[in-house]
């Protein structure tokens, strides 16, 4: 008896990160794969159900509802096409059997293909003819990285397109060498205009674009593209950044300040809550009562799929109860916009020195702390206060799902008051 099964070969993907769906036809312990012509990202394939399920990659939230409907509709068309091909192959096998012919895989495939309209074969362009921005666009569209990571990739793509415009020529994969790296880096340092109107990016911003470019090139290399350059020669410039966070006194200022505007009070509450729990924003926006067990947040983190266990103290619990365990979440962009206004009104205005490095040259500015506050500062505040209270980085790692190395390098800030307290505790007055 003939069998059919929809399968993918996830180890064989094209430059867009897609693989083909095949119908595996079996007859007398021999199988043959017949292409459906449909290409998908392997991550949307349900192996057990033999179906495409793109919407499973998204959180089932109101914000994603329209996109989920569109993906579900598209998936229905693809899955219907797959089922139709299955049925057609079984019908061909039955027809051959009725006509006293052995329905082998080769014969069924030949019969099926003979009934399909043939498309003209178009010779693919050679690898060295591929334009870099087109490859980058395809990579962004097919990658399963987070929304924020894709935004970072698109920022680099914007820089590449601006570089092409400046050079008045298209950049192809064959052009990627050390001369390209030097010219592109120089362009980023001197010609990109920042939102403030200032020309040129900092070392860390240039480094982010170079890092993203290397991610793309490594991905292309894995897919069989010839990369002319040694990626180890593409150095990622970076400078150590001071870790800014809010002190306990500043958190008290925020907590006790009476906001006349309800929307600003809600922004304050969201930010304060995260200063006490340290969640990534992607996890904060989906937090609900089902994640609260035994006065602790138990949630699988969106970014790295690790289990986070965060005990809740009285202050974050009070905020959750105030909103019936459903925080009034807004977009991260709007939170970053409004939290500066919130902190400014609450007089979080200590002057702090900001050091910027560009092409190795340092510049210094004094700015009020409220001007530096973003949603990310909440996580740094949580981790820094944990350190001040003697909670070990290993425990903080278990709580937040971040590695000890990342915590110490990017999140654990120490202020002068903490330095003094630690020295006195160790050596006395």
């Amino acid at each position: 008896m003939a069998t059919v099964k929809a399968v993918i070969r996830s180890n064989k993907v094209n430059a867009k990160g897609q693989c083909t769906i095949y119908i595996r036809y079996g007859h007398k312990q021999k199988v043959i794969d017949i292409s459906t012509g449909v290409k998908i990202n392997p991550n949307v394939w349900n192996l057990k159900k033999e179906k495409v399920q793109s919407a499973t990659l998204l959180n089932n939230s109101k914000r994603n509802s329209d996109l989920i409907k569109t993906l579900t509709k598209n998936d229905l068309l693809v899955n219907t096409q797959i089922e139709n091909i299955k049925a057609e192959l079984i019908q061909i096998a039955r027809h051959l059997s009725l006509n006293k012919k052995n329905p082998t895989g080769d014969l069924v495939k030949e019969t099926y293909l003979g009934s399909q309209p043939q498309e003209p074969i178009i010779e693919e362009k050679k690898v060295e003819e591929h334009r870099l921005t087109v490859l980058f666009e395809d990579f962004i569209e097919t990658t399963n990285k987070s929304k924020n990571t894709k935004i970072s990739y698109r920022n680099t793509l914007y820089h590449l397109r601006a570089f092409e415009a400046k050079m008045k020529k298209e950049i192809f994969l064959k052009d990627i060498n050390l001369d390209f790296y030097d010219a592109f880096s120089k362009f980023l340092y001197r010609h990109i205009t920042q939102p403030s109107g200032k020309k040129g990016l900092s070392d860390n911003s240039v480094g982010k674009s170079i890092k993203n470019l290397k991610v793309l090139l490594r991905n292309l290399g894995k897919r069989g593209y010839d990369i002319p350059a040694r990626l180890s020669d593409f150095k990622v410039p970076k400078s150590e950044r001071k870790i800014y966070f809010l002190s306990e006194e500043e958190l008290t200022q925020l907590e006790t300040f009476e906001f006349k505007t309800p929307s600003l009070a809600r922004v304050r509450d969201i930010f304060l809550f995260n200063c006490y729990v340290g969640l990534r924003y992607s996890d904060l926006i989906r937090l609900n009562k089902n994640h609260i067990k035994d006065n602790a947040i138990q949630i699988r983190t969106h970014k790295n799929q690790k289990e986070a266990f965060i005990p809740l103290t009285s202050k974050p619990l009070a905020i959750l109860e105030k909103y019936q365990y459903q925080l009034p979440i807004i977009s991260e962009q709007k939170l970053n916009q409004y939290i500066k206004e919130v902190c400014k009104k609450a007089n979080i205005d200590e002057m702090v020195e900001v050091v910027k490095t560009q092409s190795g040259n340092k510049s210094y500015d004094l700015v009020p702390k409220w001007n530096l506050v973003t949603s990310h500062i909440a996580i740094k505040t949580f981790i820094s206060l944990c350190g001040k209270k003697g909670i070990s980085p290993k425990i903080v790692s278990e709580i937040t799902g971040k590695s000890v190395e990342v915590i110490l390098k990017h999140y654990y800030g120490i202020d002068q008051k903490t330095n003094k307290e630690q020295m006195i505790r160790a050596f006395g007055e």
Side-chain angles (χ1 to χ4, degrees), residues 189-387:
Y189 276 124
R190 296 186 180 181
H191 297 287
I192 289 293
T193 303
Q194 299 183 34
S196 63
K198 185 178 179 181
K199 285 279 187 181
L201 300 178
S202 68
D203 281 359
N204 287 330
S205 294
V206 172
K208 176 63 73 174
S209 277
I210 299 299
K211 181 181 177 181
N212 289 343
L213 181 61
K214 291 175 72 170
V215 169
L216 167 68
L217 295 173
R218 287 196 187 97
N219 182 272
L220 293 175
K222 290 178 181 178
R223 302 189 187 289
Y225 286 83
D226 181 26
I227 310 300
R230 288 192 311 171
L231 295 186
S232 59
D233 290 335
F234 285 21
K235 303 301 181 184
V236 177
K238 58 184 176 181
S239 56
E240 291 298 324
R241 287 182 174 177
K242 179 177 173 59
I243 298 172
Y244 299 102
F245 63 97
L246 300 191
S247 65
E248 289 181 277
E249 292 78 11
E250 288 168 330
L251 290 181
T252 300
Q253 282 178 239
L254 268 180
E255 186 178 351
T256 57
F257 189 85
E258 293 290 336
F259 288 96
K260 296 180 180 179
T261 308
S263 60
L264 293 183
R266 289 193 291 270
V267 168
R268 182 267 311 275
D269 291 344
I270 297 168
F271 181 80
L272 264 182
F273 176 81
N274 214 28
C275 286
Y276 295 124
V277 300
L279 283 170
R280 289 187 181 91
Y281 205 75
S282 57
D283 299 318
L284 187 66
I285 60 175
R286 59 192 183 90
L287 183 69
N288 58 57
K289 196 167 186 177
N290 294 325
H291 295 119
I292 313 300
K293 300 172 185 176
D294 300 324
N295 281 352
I297 296 173
Q298 298 181 45
I299 190 170
R300 182 178 289 275
T301 59
H302 175 72
K303 184 172 182 178
N304 54 23
Q305 293 297 298
K306 289 185 177 180
E307 292 288 345
F309 178 84
I310 307 172
L312 289 168
T313 54
S314 59
K315 289 184 177 181
L317 265 175
I319 294 173
L320 280 176
E321 290 169 357
K322 177 180 179 180
Y323 294 102
Q324 287 79 51
Y325 291 84
Q326 192 68 54
L327 294 173
I329 295 301
I330 59 176
S331 72
E332 189 172 13
Q333 182 181 12
K334 286 191 177 295
L335 177 63
N336 288 335
Q337 176 185 341
Y338 293 135
I339 193 58
K340 288 178 171 57
E341 183 180 352
V342 166
C343 289
K344 184 178 182 179
K345 286 182 178 295
N347 300 314
I348 312 296
D349 52 11
E350 175 192 359
M351 298 303 289
V352 294
E353 188 172 59
V354 177
V355 183
K356 295 181 180 179
T357 307
Q358 186 174 359
S359 298
N361 299 314
K362 290 183 172 61
S363 62
Y364 302 86
D365 291 308
L366 281 173
V367 300
K369 186 183 277 189
W370 61 260
N371 196 45
L372 301 174
V373 178
T374 65
S375 62
H376 216 52
I377 295 293
I379 306 175
K380 295 179 181 182
T381 296
F382 171 74
I383 291 175
S384 298
L385 293 183
C386 282

Side-chain angles (χ1 to χ4, degrees), residues 133-143 145-162 184 192 208-209 212-213 216:
T133 53
V134 174
L135 292 170
F136 209 164
E137 181 72 54
D138 289 342
F139 170 69
I140 295 170
E141 289 296 327
T142 56
T143 186
K145 295 293 185 178
S146 68
K147 179 181 177 182
N148 286 340
T149 300
K150 286 188 175 184
I151 290 173
S152 178
Y153 288 162
R154 288 209 170 275
N155 195 43
T156 302
L157 178 58
Y158 168 80
H159 292 159
L160 282 169
R161 285 173 172 154
F184 184 52
I192 289 293
K208 176 63 73 174
S209 277
N212 289 343
L213 181 61
L216 167 68

